[in-house]
Amino acid sequence: MSDGLYGALFRHVAVRVPAERTHRIGLRALQAATPVLPHRTPDPSLAVTAMGLEFASPLGVAAGYDKDAEGVRGLARLGFGAVEIGTVTARPQPGNPRPRLFRLPADRALVNRMGFNNAGADAVAARLAALRAGGPLGTVLGVNIGKSKAATGPDETLADYRHSARRLGPHADYVVVNVSSPNTPGLRDLQGVDALEPLLAAVREEIGPTPLLVKITADLDDDGVDAIADLAVASGLDGIVATNTTVARSGLTTPADVVEAAGGGGLSGAPLVEPARAVLARLSARVARRLCLVSVGGIADAAEARRRLEAGATLVQAYTGFVYGGPAWPGRVNAELAAG
């Protein structure tokens, strides 16, 4: 589909079809088309070695797009060097009431309060096992795990993450512990070092040598970023994914009444550019090259991806930029990155 046709189609559905329904239709179409999709192999110059893994491109798709590992092979064929599925929780859960995903086209942004809707670790593990049995995926597979909403208290939370790590770790090339979504009560409290340290240790026990990363929010203050960076190094983590969505709503072009009507949840897309750059700069200065830094938030084109890589990121991820850019977007970004 040409960029012009996709843009016209997006503008049409953006005002007529609910965002979550559009997402489901797109994912199902990708699944159906996967057997006949050409594999847009990135230029060899883009290959990256990180965490002992070989990435065909530094560009990956962020968690949230493919929550239940339904479109991994299709996303690989579009040219993504990594596909991070999830967030997956130990228990299956429906997520928050609908509507829970909203477009802000004037800001090239999304607001979501999905609430970790997913099929649960056992079901996703079975799907990943079947995927692996079908041959090479054509991409690096990351698995992002989070807390079930029903898990309360430190012991139950640890057991919840342990179950997900135990079931999903054997099928993952790397695992990400998500403690930064604003849509699960109490989750962001786990970003405090006292809570995060035993959680990361528990997950590490379950997954063994599989690379382990933690995903943090754009809303952490400088001291919070520094504390997690220091903990990541001390705990032997392999990397940090920065950043998740923000609860801030400042500086938007979208009229205030439209933003208010969208309600609470995490804001992603272009408004995250400056916060994500700032967190990356602080992490890069703090950990240098001791960790793999995965920069996500507001990456809408190759120029921004290149800027993050030059600022210290090893890898980059996109979600909202991909949604607005369409199926040709990853191939285009790869081509522009390779052109220099």
Side-chain angles (χ1 to χ4, degrees):
M1 182 180 292
S2 71
D3 293 342
L5 180 57
Y6 180 84
L9 180 61
F10 185 89
R11 287 189 293 273
H12 175 80
V13 301
V15 296
R16 291 173 174 82
V17 182
E20 186 171 354
R21 186 184 304 170
T22 302
H23 180 83
R24 289 301 309 164
I25 292 170
L27 192 53
R28 287 170 183 157
L30 180 64
Q31 287 177 279
T34 295
V36 297
L37 277 177
H39 198 152
R40 296 176 179 172
T41 306
D43 189 282
S45 66
L46 296 180
V48 176
T49 301
M51 304 182 293
L53 302 170
E54 300 295 328
F55 297 78
S57 164
L59 178 67
V61 62
Y65 187 86
D66 187 6
K67 291 178 177 291
D68 289 325
E70 297 172 300
V72 175
R73 291 191 186 278
L75 291 166
R77 286 176 177 265
L78 295 183
F80 284 110
V83 175
E84 189 173 309
I85 66 151
T87 296
V88 183
T89 55
R91 314 177 198 188
Q93 55 186 39
N96 292 324
R98 302 184 187 190
R100 55 194 181 183
L101 180 64
F102 306 86
R103 308 181 192 92
L104 304 182
D107 291 289
R108 294 187 71 82
L110 298 171
V111 172
N112 95 82
R113 49 176 175 274
M114 303 298 288
F116 289 169
N117 56 304
N118 74 103
D122 293 347
V124 175
R127 183 170 291 144
L128 291 179
L131 270 174
R132 292 290 194 187
L137 301 179
T139 189
V140 173
L141 176 67
V143 176
N144 184 300
I145 61 174
K147 184 179 82 71
S148 301
K149 188 174 182 179
T152 59
D155 292 343
E156 194 172 353
T157 296
L158 281 179
D160 196 76
Y161 274 96
R162 276 188 181 276
H163 180 83
S164 295
R166 186 182 312 121
R167 296 290 288 118
L168 296 164
H171 310 293
D173 293 317
Y174 69 87
V175 173
V176 179
V177 171
N178 186 349
V179 289
S180 51
S181 169
N183 300 317
T184 295
L187 185 72
R188 286 190 168 192
D189 295 341
L190 298 176
Q191 290 180 119
V193 169
D194 290 344
L196 185 57
E197 186 171 17
L199 173 58
L200 294 174
V203 173
R204 173 61 81 193
E205 286 180 6
E206 298 294 343
I207 68 172
T210 300
L212 177 61
L213 304 87
V214 63
K215 186 168 186 176
I216 64 174
T217 174
D219 298 328
L220 278 176
D221 61 20
D222 288 348
D223 289 343
V225 172
D226 291 347
I228 289 181
D230 294 345
L231 174 62
V233 172
S235 301
L237 261 62
D238 297 273
I240 298 174
V241 182
T243 61
N244 211 322
T245 56
T246 179
V247 296
R249 297 290 190 271
S250 59
L252 298 178
T253 300
T254 302
D257 61 327
V258 176
V259 175
E260 185 177 354
L267 178 72
S268 65
L272 255 70
V273 168
E274 293 302 329
R277 286 177 181 170
V279 173
L280 172 62
R282 193 159 191 95
L283 286 172
S284 183
R286 194 80 174 182
V287 305
R289 293 289 179 176
R290 290 177 289 175
L291 298 176
C292 174
L293 299 181
V294 184
S295 187
V296 55
I299 296 176
D301 53 32
E304 186 60 29
R306 185 179 297 110
R307 179 168 182 164
R308 305 291 177 89
L309 295 169
E310 292 172 349
T314 312
L315 304 166
V316 296
Q317 292 180 342
Y319 170 69
T320 306
F322 174 42
V323 169
Y324 278 91
W329 184 84
R332 183 170 66 250
V333 170
N334 281 332
E336 292 175 4
L337 284 174

